[in-house]
Structures are given as structure tokens and as C-alpha cells.
Amino acid sequence: MTSCWVVLLLLVPFTLTTAHQHSHDERLGGGAWGWRCVNQKCVREEEQQQQQQQQHQQGPPHTTALLSFSTCKLTCRTDASLWPTPNGLLRLNNETVYFLLDSVTLGEVRGGGGEVKGLVRDAFSIFLSSLASLIPSSSSASTSLRAGDHLREDIFGRQIKSEKVTVSVSVSSKVSTLSLYTREAYTLTIRRHNTTTTEVAILASDFYGARHALETLSQLVEWDQQMRALQMVSKGAITDAPVFRYRGLMVDTARNFLSVKALERTVDGMAATKLNTLHLHLTDSHAFPLQLPGLVNMAYYGAYSPRHLYTPEDLRHLQRYARVRGVRLVPEIDAPAHAGNGWQWGEREGMGNLAVCVNKEPWREFCSEPPCGQLNPANNHTYTLLSHLYAELRSIFHPLQFFHFGGSEVNMNCWNTTDEIVEYLKQTGRGRENEHLQNLWGEFQSRAKDLLADVNRGRPFLGIVRYSTLIATESSQRNLSPEEYAVQVTGPNSEKVTSDLLQKGYQVILSPNDAWDLGAGFSGSFRSEVKNYIGWQTVYNQSLSSGTSNLVGSGQSDLVLGGEAVLWGHRVDDANIDAKLWPRGAALGERLWSNPSGTSWYSAEPRFIHHRQRLLKRGIMADHDATRTRLLATGLTYTKYKGVT
């Protein structure tokens, strides 16, 4: 009986339209067009033409009436509405059931312990907000659309009002923190329990798997303008888990300040795309925007203004906000290079030069980009201050499981022209040659790691550094143990570098700058070695397996933690961060979650465009290619328009 009811709704849309006295706009979402599924693609057809064809047919009436676009998207192809595509079992039927937002409830939450259950409830509230974003917000009766006050008291209206959707969640693990050992796996099943109830069951390895399942479920729901109700597939089963454990984005809050609201939107986009790591490049030689109670001089001298600051509560709030959305925060204090403004007060306080070459000119002689500044490894007060700084950060980002030390682009000439550093080298039996300066750099990194280990009270954490000349030296493992560090590979010759690192036993995070530098192509950036804009197609087609497993074999495959796209902040602020991250960040999301083999951007494009629309509905101002979007949205095939690029 249930299947018959659902089929009736799908096969006689014009009968329903007559019963509800809908206008053309309400029926077909803005015109005389409907949609038909042809070879797993939604093709647009004119309603009048379709009716004329039926009138000239012999025999019984044609039973494949045109669908609304939302129904076609959900039912024409199994994964048409999903991003990223699941890795395991994916079975969805081609029938939908209509329901109201106020009819969706969370049932029993089993397992996981009290904290995990609370997180699941919070994630379910976010899930309901995602569904609410599908309801037309321009309507003055949006509240009534949630509750069904707009529906007529006929058979169709009563059925929609009586429909219930219940979601039950079972979680295996009681662990509530996201680590490299968190599976993030889930199984999602949808079935009709009776004529008025759809049951959704989620079985998850941990809270994060449950959260991902709710995100997937939200993507199986669309608003139907014809019925003026939500609809979802009525039956299905999905098993899913990520390929890579580290799926990251880096944003730069030092060069240009980003508000907490902008960072929240970034987390929202990551949650919709199942990215799980937000790397915060918090400080640089440009600015120190952290207002820390025990280190007030840092922000006093380092912030752009009193309005451009993050308080500890701002960062704790952001961590809570991210956690329930399946995202970990990785703080970075770049050192010893890229440290200037915010550190220049030491002499005034009797602590000597904490940093050297601060704002020094000509800058090309002392740093990789202006303004210059490097920490002073010859001053013990530098390490005392670092210890206080790490203690403050540990209290904010608790539990501290990951920390990015930066650790690249040290300018040896800066140190080699600073008298007290030259004297320190002499006193410690070293000269001014590059080998001895590299040794000094390694000494600094080793001491910084030990300081953070002390304030973290012996709890293990993974240190992350960018690939640099320090790591390239034969003695690198003395100062950067593979058991304690992961290396982020960003530069040229990344395949060879990655192969060498894996053979040494390092864990690796890949950030190829010719594919995942989202700041490339914008004038004024000192950071990017790539001058051309990187489109989402390039982001998507960058496979992590092609350059690693073939080089070193499968023995080191587990050492590839994943990848990270970077957005340096030279030309980024609140006004344009969404457009620069999205939807290209979504292409990264599918690459790191599914790592599809044999799949190019071309076959993924319809789903990608659909996901971009989803981000817009959720308040994320994602950029787009208007021409191609318009072609696909009107049912025209890209292959007919090869001149459009």
C-alpha cells in the first residue's frame, strides 16, 4: 500500500496540481517546463509538448508524467544529490515520500555515553536547520510551510500532514574527540514502517560517523515546490567511511583578520562536504591577533586594532562550533620565521630582542616577504615566552592533539647578520656557515617541541611542520623524529619529496601548490609559486594515490594521512573568503573522502553544481561558473557545447 501511494504522487503530478490549484510557477518551479529522467540525466521538456504527445498516442494514456526538478534530482541517479559520493554500498529507490519539517523527530540514541549522546542531539538540531534551509525563505508564510498550515484539507494534504519521519542513532564508541584513529564510519538505512511513517536508522562507529550520516540524510531531502512540502527517498541503504583521516583546509588569520562569523561559515562548508580539519594559521610577521590574558603585550603590539582580535572565548566557541560539525581545529604559531609584529616589545621589558629583523629593509635580504621578522634563538627569554604562549593555547585548544609549528622559510642572512646570534654561535662552538645555521634552526625546533610537550602534561600530540631545507638535510631526524612529526608537503617535486619522506617513516599531509593553493592567480600574493587561478577541476583531479603508492609501494600507504588545501590571506577577508574557498573546497572534500579512481571532474560536474546550490541555501556565498551552471540546470548536455569552457 505504501509503494502504491508514493508512485501515485510521482506519476500524476498534474492531477495533484489541479487538486491544489497551483499556478505554473508552483508546479514546475518557474515556467512551462518539467523534467524527465533519461539515461540517468534529468532532461527538461515543455509541459504543453508532452501533453500534445500524449493526446496523439494510441492506447492507454502515457504514465510517465513530467517530474519537478527536485524530484528528478533525487530519483534519476542513485548518487545525483550526494557530495561527496559514498565509498561503500549505495542503494536508493526512485520513489519519494512527502513530509513536513515539524514532523521530523529524533528517536532513541543508543550507546556512546552521555557526552556523545549530547553531541548527537546537537548534530540533529543542525540537521533540522539544514532541512529548513531548503524551504523558500522569501515566503511570508515560511513558518506555516514548516507546519503544513498552507495545505488544503484534501486527501493529499492530510497524507502529508500525517507523515512522520523518525531518526534513530546507535553509536559504538564513547570517545568524543576526533583523532587519527577515529573511523568516522556509518551505515544509513531508510524504510517505510507503515503508511504514515518513514524510519531512518543510523549505525555509526563514533559520533563523527553519526554526524556524517545526518549530513548524508540531509542531502537525500529536497523541497518540492509543486507539493509545497519536503520530500525524501522512501527506501535506501548506504555504508560509508572516509579514505583519508586528515581532510583539511588552511585559512590565514594573520595577514588579514577573519571574523569568527566568517570562520563559522567556513566550518559550515566543511561540514557539508565532510572535510574534518580546519588549520588556523593564527600568527605571522604581519600580525598577532590573539588576546591572551597572560601575554597582553603580544596583541598590544601585534594586532591591527582592538577590533581585530580573538579572545580565548572566541576560540573556545569556534572549537565547540566545529566539533559538533565534525571538524577539528589545528592551531599554528609559525616559528621561528614569520614572527615579527607582536614580538618587538622585549627590550622595553628588559627581556632583550625576542625577535630580530622585525620590519627590516630591504626586505628581500632578510625574509621571503614583507614585513620581516624571525624569533631570536640565542635569547632564553624567547623560549620562556614560547612556553607561556603554548600554555595559553593548550588551555584553549584542549585536548591538544595536533599543533602546527610552521617551520619553513628561515632566512639565514637575518640570523647571520644579527650580532647576538653570531656571538651565540661562536660561544657554542659553531661558525656562520649554512650548516651551522641549519643546526641552530634544528636546535630551536627541538626546544620548541619539548616546551609544548611539557605544557601538554605528557599527553601525546602530533607536531606538524612544512617541508623545508631543515627536513631535507641528512640530520633532520635528529631534531624532527618521524614518531613525533608529520610533514606537510607543498612545493615543487612533491612526488619525489613525498617518496623520500615516506621511506624515512614520516607521516605526510599533501598540499600540492599546483593543485590545492586556493590563493593562486590573485595578484599581490608573495606566497604562491603558481600564477594561474586553480579551478575546481584541477582540485578534483589531483589524486593522492598516483604519486605515492607507485613510488614507495603499499607498505607506507598508512603514512599518507591525507591532504590540505591552503588559502593564504594576502587578498582575503570576510567579503570574499566564501567565494575563494567554495565551491573549490568541495572538490577537495570528495577527493579526500572518496578519492574516486577513474573519475574525472566531467562526470562529477552535475553533482558538484548541485552541491554548490546547497551551499548557497545554507548561507555560504560560493563562487560559480555561470555559463556552465545555466546549461546544466536547463537540462542541456555539456557535450553539445564544447566551446564553453
Side-chain angles (χ1 to χ4, degrees):
M1 182 64 183
T2 301
S3 299
C4 293
W5 171 255
V6 175
V7 172
L8 176 65
L9 291 177
L10 289 174
L11 298 186
V12 291
F14 301 121
T15 302
L16 298 181
T17 301
T18 302
H20 286 270
Q21 298 180 349
H22 287 157
S23 67
H24 260 23
D25 280 350
E26 290 173 326
R27 285 205 310 271
L28 299 175
W33 305 96
W35 300 82
R36 188 186 309 284
C37 182
V38 179
N39 297 326
Q40 295 190 334
K41 179 177 177 62
C42 292
V43 177
R44 192 177 71 162
E45 293 185 7
E46 186 178 358
E47 174 197 353
Q48 185 176 0
Q49 177 184 1
Q50 195 259 0
Q51 290 176 331
Q52 290 174 350
Q53 290 174 350
Q54 288 189 12
Q55 292 173 1
H56 290 88
Q57 285 179 344
Q58 299 293 327
H62 188 52
T63 58
T64 55
L66 297 181
L67 306 173
S68 67
F69 189 36
S70 58
T71 301
C72 190
K73 284 189 293 184
L74 279 179
T75 61
C76 186
R77 174 177 157 176
T78 305
D79 65 345
S81 65
L82 297 178
W83 192 280
T85 188
N87 282 313
L89 174 71
L90 176 58
R91 293 178 182 172
L92 301 172
N93 71 349
N94 60 357
E95 300 172 350
T96 63
V97 60
Y98 295 93
F99 64 96
L100 300 169
L101 180 58
D102 286 356
S103 299
V104 184
T105 58
L106 177 63
E108 186 176 2
V109 180
R110 303 183 184 91
E115 185 177 15
V116 168
K117 288 180 179 179
L119 288 170
V120 169
R121 295 187 189 97
D122 291 342
F124 187 78
S125 297
I126 296 169
F127 163 74
L128 293 179
S129 297
S130 296
L131 299 192
S133 72
L134 301 172
I135 300 174
S137 58
S138 59
S139 172
S140 59
S142 59
T143 301
S144 67
L145 292 178
R146 295 170 56 108
D149 297 340
H150 62 289
L151 296 174
R152 293 169 60 92
E153 287 298 326
D154 56 18
I155 183 173
F156 305 111
R158 288 193 294 272
Q159 174 65 20
I160 293 172
K161 286 182 177 181
S162 65
E163 185 67 36
K164 305 295 182 185
V165 177
T166 61
V167 181
S168 63
V169 180
S170 295
V171 180
S172 299
S173 174
K174 294 182 179 181
V175 178
S176 60
T177 55
L178 180 60
S179 74
L180 292 177
Y181 305 101
T182 305
R183 292 182 56 210
E184 303 179 74
Y186 68 89
T187 297
L188 171 68
T189 58
I190 305 170
R191 71 183 186 95
R192 295 287 287 164
H193 177 64
N194 52 45
T195 57
T196 60
T197 304
T198 299
E199 291 185 341
V200 179
I202 294 171
L203 302 176
S205 59
D206 40 65
F207 160 70
Y208 299 93
R211 192 227 70 86
H212 296 325
L214 288 170
E215 175 58 42
T216 298
L217 181 61
S218 75
Q219 296 183 10
L220 296 175
V221 178
E222 289 285 347
W223 173 259
D224 191 296
Q225 187 64 23
Q226 175 183 342
M227 298 301 298
R228 296 174 69 78
L230 294 167
Q231 61 175 327
M232 67 183 295
V233 295
S234 60
K235 186 177 181 180
I238 298 173
T239 60
D240 200 9
V243 173
F244 293 104
R245 296 171 283 170
Y246 188 107
R247 307 181 302 280
L249 286 178
M250 187 219 76
V251 295
D252 177 0
T253 65
R255 286 173 175 84
N256 279 303
F257 184 80
L258 298 170
S259 71
V260 173
K261 286 296 182 184
L263 295 174
E264 287 177 353
R265 293 198 308 275
T266 300
V267 170
D268 291 340
M270 296 176 70
T273 310
K274 298 188 174 76
L275 292 166
N276 72 351
T277 304
L278 179 58
H279 168 188
L280 297 173
H281 182 79
L282 290 169
T283 65
D284 209 287
S285 55
H286 307 68
F288 192 101
L290 305 180
Q291 187 177 33
L292 304 174
L295 297 169
V296 293
N297 278 337
M298 304 295 286
Y300 184 76
Y301 285 91
Y304 286 129
S305 82
R307 295 182 296 107
H308 298 95
L309 287 169
Y310 302 111
T311 67
E313 186 50 41
D314 288 336
L315 295 174
R316 291 190 184 100
H317 161 77
L318 185 63
Q319 185 169 31
R320 292 191 297 268
Y321 189 93
R323 180 190 185 196
V324 75
R325 289 161 177 80
V327 177
R328 67 166 73 91
L329 300 186
V330 174
E332 176 189 348
I333 301 296
D334 207 347
H338 296 281
N341 289 294
W343 296 86
Q344 68 270 56
W345 51 272
E347 276 195 299
R348 296 182 181 88
E349 299 292 332
M351 299 177 69
N353 290 316
L354 301 171
V356 295
C357 305
V358 178
N359 300 322
K360 196 168 183 178
E361 294 286 350
W363 67 266
R364 292 183 188 277
E365 296 184 13
F366 304 105
C367 59
S368 59
E369 66 170 278
C372 294
Q374 288 183 180
L375 294 186
N376 183 357
N379 184 350
N380 280 327
H381 290 298
T382 301
Y383 298 103
T384 301
L385 191 66
L386 271 178
S387 179
H388 289 318
L389 175 56
Y390 291 159
E392 295 273 4
L393 292 173
R394 185 257 179 197
S395 70
I396 295 170
F397 296 99
H398 181 74
L400 186 66
Q401 298 188 84
F402 302 84
F403 187 85
H404 205 301
F405 289 95
S408 65
E409 297 184 334
V410 171
N411 186 288
M412 297 306 176
N413 187 56
C414 169
W415 280 352
N416 213 8
T417 56
T418 302
D419 291 342
E420 61 185 291
I421 294 178
V422 172
E423 180 62 25
Y424 175 75
L425 288 169
K426 181 179 179 180
Q427 291 175 0
T428 54
R430 291 173 285 192
R432 301 175 65 178
E433 293 79 12
N434 186 70
E435 176 187 355
H436 295 147
L437 292 165
Q438 290 278 349
N439 181 267
L440 178 61
W441 182 3
E443 174 189 309
F444 171 88
Q445 185 58 52
S446 181
R447 291 185 67 175
K449 177 70 164 57
D450 290 344
L451 290 172
L452 184 55
D454 287 342
V455 301
N456 206 38
R457 300 173 185 174
R459 294 183 177 90
F461 68 94
L462 182 65
I464 305 172
V465 292
R466 293 184 187 85
Y467 182 77
S468 66
T469 56
L470 179 63
I471 300 172
T473 61
E474 290 298 324
S475 61
S476 63
Q477 290 168 283
R478 182 173 67 248
N479 296 309
L480 296 102
S481 168
E483 286 74 34
E484 298 177 325
Y485 285 95
V487 180
Q488 185 177 9
V489 181
T490 61
N493 303 317
S494 60
E495 289 190 1
K496 183 181 185 308
V497 167
T498 300
S499 175
D500 292 344
L501 289 170
L502 294 178
Q503 289 173 339
K504 291 179 180 179
Y506 283 105
Q507 298 180 95
V508 172
I509 299 166
L510 299 178
S511 298
N513 60 8
D514 57 349
W516 292 350
D517 182 350
L518 303 185
F522 298 98
S523 61
S525 173
F526 295 92
R527 301 296 316 158
S528 178
E529 299 173 17
V530 182
K531 302 305 179 184
N532 296 324
Y533 177 84
I534 296 172
W536 78 268
Q537 299 91 339
T538 300
V539 176
Y540 187 88
N541 281 352
Q542 178 67 39
S543 174
L544 273 71
S545 57
S546 61
T548 56
S549 61
N550 294 340
L551 286 169
V552 300
S554 59
Q556 289 83 16
S557 59
D558 288 345
L559 295 178
V560 180
L561 300 181
E564 178 178 289
V566 301
L567 182 63
W568 296 106
H570 300 84
R571 299 182 68 84
V572 180
D573 61 12
D574 281 21
N576 63 8
I577 185 173
D578 288 9
K580 290 191 175 182
L581 282 177
W582 310 108
R584 292 184 294 166
L588 178 79
E590 178 150 304
R591 175 53 58 194
L592 295 176
W593 179 275
S594 309
N595 199 28
S597 59
T599 301
S600 71
W601 66 265
Y602 176 75
S603 60
E605 187 173 36
R607 291 187 300 109
F608 181 78
I609 290 172
H610 180 50
H611 188 64
R612 185 254 173 185
Q613 296 299 117
R614 178 182 293 123
L615 294 175
L616 290 176
K617 290 175 182 176
R618 297 188 186 183
I620 300 164
M621 296 295 102
D623 202 359
H624 78 310
D625 181 330
T627 303
R628 187 178 294 122
T629 300
R630 191 173 297 113
L631 286 174
L632 289 171
T634 53
L636 303 176
T637 60
Y638 174 67
T639 54
K640 292 181 181 178
Y641 294 85
K642 292 183 179 179
V644 178
T645 58

